[in-house]
Amino acid sequence: MYRLVCVECGESFPPDEILYQCTRCGHLLAVEYDLETIDVDLAAWKRRPLSVWRYREILPVSIEPVSLQEGGTPLYHLSRIGEEIGVPHLYAKHEGMNPTGSFKDRGMTVGVSMALQLGRTSVACASTGNTSASLAAYAAKAGIPAVVLLPAGKVALGKVAQALMHGARVLSIRGNFDKALEMVHELCLSHGLYLLNSVNPFRLEGQKTIGFEALDQLGEVPDRMVLPVGNAGNISAVYKGFTELMTLGRMDRIPMMTGIQASGSSPVVRAIHEGLPEVIPDANPETVATAIRIGAPVNAEKALAAIRKTGGTAESVTDGEILSMQRDLARKEGIGVEPASAASVAGVKRLRDMGAIDRDEKIVCVVTGHLLKDPETVIRQCEPPLEIDADLPSLLSALQRS
Ligand SMILES: *Cc1c(COP(=O)(O)O)cnc(C)c1O
Ligand SMILES: [Zn+2]
């Protein structure tokens, strides 16, 4: 059993009420389970495949889920990069290996399942790209229509391609993400579509399983979890999951939750550094990492609490640092990610250089989306292939050059 609870005033609401914020004070809602009454059989968990649904006792879905086999992503040891930056126990959880190529699938398998469980027949979101790609695919699997609003001209090519091909109704808004979210929220409230942005408390329930899987794969609690932060839903979700495992007696401490933003879009970092009670939005966020190009993070209040309560921190990295780490991950570790994803590892390098991270920390970075999401940014950084005549001498002479 569970209920929806306001993170600010503690008001609680029944589980089948369709709400995206507290009706008393307007703050965010979270799903709260009666953990004392939930029987989590650890042996049963271990027997199930590594996936979002391994942990179904502490997920809100009671129907057969709308699933494309999400989760179960690899945890890689970054041996070369870790050695280079002076943190040998550095790991990357590659969320780009999900069905549509980002962690958003963990949220959508739960979110779209909940849409059906609550009797809704259409879904919608605003998106910097990956949320729309994922929603489009899960709506297709569920057999219901999806509407997605994108900030015009600011969405990576692969993500638009996915949303279109999976059959969503795709609209480009002449405005930024924050504006698109405001509009889709109004549309959902007035026209009964089910809203699947990260203000939706059920979506975050799916995403918390990133942390569960990381624990199961590492076989111990990492000292630090590092995530790129856009709307700050994912870092909040992973933290919430850990608090549940603590209550269930499955963990004895929570990793230091560490959020990384791009320097042109870093309201959470500023709030942490300056000790502000809430974030001051960026009116014009700008970064090459479009997935975290967000000026008014919707889940900021949850994320600030997660970072502060765990002794974590937040830091920003430049677009140059992000792109350079994207290349290092690709060339030194064989891991292909989109720019926002590389921010987490670039953030570890920056924090280590600042002396804010100890050498012997065990660190799990979440790398959030696949390289192919944003081919245009990749191509801009690389030399194009050299075109040569189709004979061996030309080939040999080309290989000798460079
Ligand atoms: C959505 C997304 C993020 C940001 O996650 P939030 O929950 O909004 O903080 C980071 N990277 C990628 C690839 C994403 O798709
Ligand atoms: Zn409230």
Side-chain angles (χ1 to χ4, degrees):
M1 270 310 291
Y2 62 87
R3 67 198 75 80
L4 297 172
V5 175
C6 172
V7 300
E8 174 70 16
C9 75
E11 180 80 0
S12 78
F13 304 91
D16 54 355
E17 206 164 322
I18 294 180
L19 282 179
Y20 310 110
Q21 57 195 159
C22 175
T23 53
R24 196 161 92 185
C25 76
H27 283 259
L28 297 167
L29 300 172
V31 178
E32 194 178 280
Y33 302 88
D34 293 325
L35 291 172
E36 320 71 56
T37 67
I38 291 177
D39 182 22
V40 175
D41 176 355
L42 292 185
W45 274 11
K46 289 276 190 269
R47 280 195 302 272
R48 296 174 191 162
L50 190 72
S51 88
V52 169
W53 298 103
R54 170 182 275 198
Y55 312 100
R56 61 184 175 242
E57 285 84 356
I58 41 176
L59 292 172
V61 177
S62 51
I63 61 170
E64 182 62 32
V66 179
S67 173
L68 295 165
Q69 298 187 24
E70 45 292 314
T73 57
L75 181 73
Y76 297 121
H77 181 215
L78 303 182
S79 54
R80 294 205 181 90
I81 292 177
E83 203 53 61
E84 265 178 39
I85 66 184
V87 273
H89 308 293
L90 182 64
Y91 298 83
K93 180 94 172 125
H94 191 357
E95 290 295 299
M97 302 297 272
N98 274 294
T100 77
S102 83
F103 72 80
K104 299 299 196 302
D105 294 340
R106 293 181 188 268
M108 287 306 173
T109 184
V110 173
V112 173
S113 298
M114 286 306 293
L116 299 187
Q117 189 167 314
L118 295 169
R120 290 299 165 105
T121 53
S122 58
V123 288
C125 71
S127 177
T128 62
N130 282 330
T131 300
S132 68
S134 185
L135 181 62
Y138 282 86
K141 178 75 180 171
I144 58 174
V147 174
V148 309
L149 271 57
L150 308 175
K154 294 294 183 182
V155 177
L157 189 65
K159 306 176 187 181
V160 186
Q162 289 176 293
L164 291 170
M165 187 51 120
H166 286 298
R169 190 74 201 282
V170 180
L171 299 156
S172 269
I173 303 298
R174 294 187 200 99
N176 62 19
F177 167 84
D178 305 303
K179 182 68 193 168
L181 179 59
E182 198 183 303
M183 287 175 62
V184 78
H185 198 161
E186 276 175 38
L187 174 76
C188 288
L189 292 179
S190 60
H191 286 77
L193 290 85
Y194 191 61
L195 180 62
L196 277 166
N197 279 98
S198 54
V199 289
N200 184 308
F202 297 121
R203 216 190 89 184
L204 297 187
E205 290 302 292
Q207 291 172 205
K208 75 188 179 186
T209 61
I210 295 174
F212 297 172
E213 288 187 8
L215 286 188
D216 281 351
Q217 287 168 301
L218 204 59
E220 61 183 315
V221 181
D223 298 303
R224 190 183 293 275
M225 288 284 296
V226 186
L227 295 95
V229 169
N231 267 312
N234 211 30
I235 192 169
S236 309
V238 171
Y239 169 70
K240 175 181 187 282
F242 286 151
T243 63
E244 290 167 356
L245 292 192
M246 286 280 285
T247 306
L248 290 167
R250 285 267 287 114
M251 285 170 86
D252 52 5
R253 64 197 165 93
I254 296 187
M256 293 176 275
M257 301 303 297
T258 301
I260 309 297
Q261 297 195 293
S263 49
S265 177
S266 55
V268 172
V269 176
R270 276 202 311 278
I272 289 293
H273 287 186
E274 293 166 25
L276 309 177
E278 53 192 53
V279 299
I280 300 167
D282 262 348
N284 293 300
E286 205 44 83
T287 167
V288 67
T290 50
I292 51 173
R293 184 175 172 275
I294 287 166
V298 178
N299 289 288
E301 61 180 330
K302 289 182 179 176
L304 292 178
I307 292 167
R308 288 176 173 146
K309 284 185 182 159
T310 58
T313 189
E315 195 48 69
S316 61
V317 288
T318 64
D319 281 2
E321 291 173 294
I322 289 173
L323 294 178
S324 151
M325 188 54 77
Q326 185 192 22
R327 276 195 305 277
D328 281 354
L329 283 164
R331 294 180 182 185
K332 296 176 179 169
E333 304 286 355
I335 299 172
V337 300
E338 65 167 287
S341 315
S344 57
V345 189
V348 170
K349 178 176 187 325
R350 161 78 71 116
L351 287 166
R352 177 69 186 136
D353 290 347
M354 291 163 51
I357 286 183
D358 288 338
R359 179 177 177 85
D360 45 340
E361 280 187 21
K362 288 200 175 58
I363 304 176
V364 173
C365 289
V366 180
V367 296
T368 42
H370 199 277
L371 173 104
L372 290 172
K373 290 284 190 172
D374 189 355
E376 291 170 310
T377 303
V378 172
I379 293 289
R380 270 200 303 277
Q381 292 179 75
C382 301
E383 286 290 316
L386 192 61
E387 190 175 317
I388 58 167
D389 289 333
D391 57 61
L392 194 57
S394 306
L395 174 58
L396 291 175
S397 90
L399 290 176
Q400 266 156 17
R401 263 182 277 161
S402 81

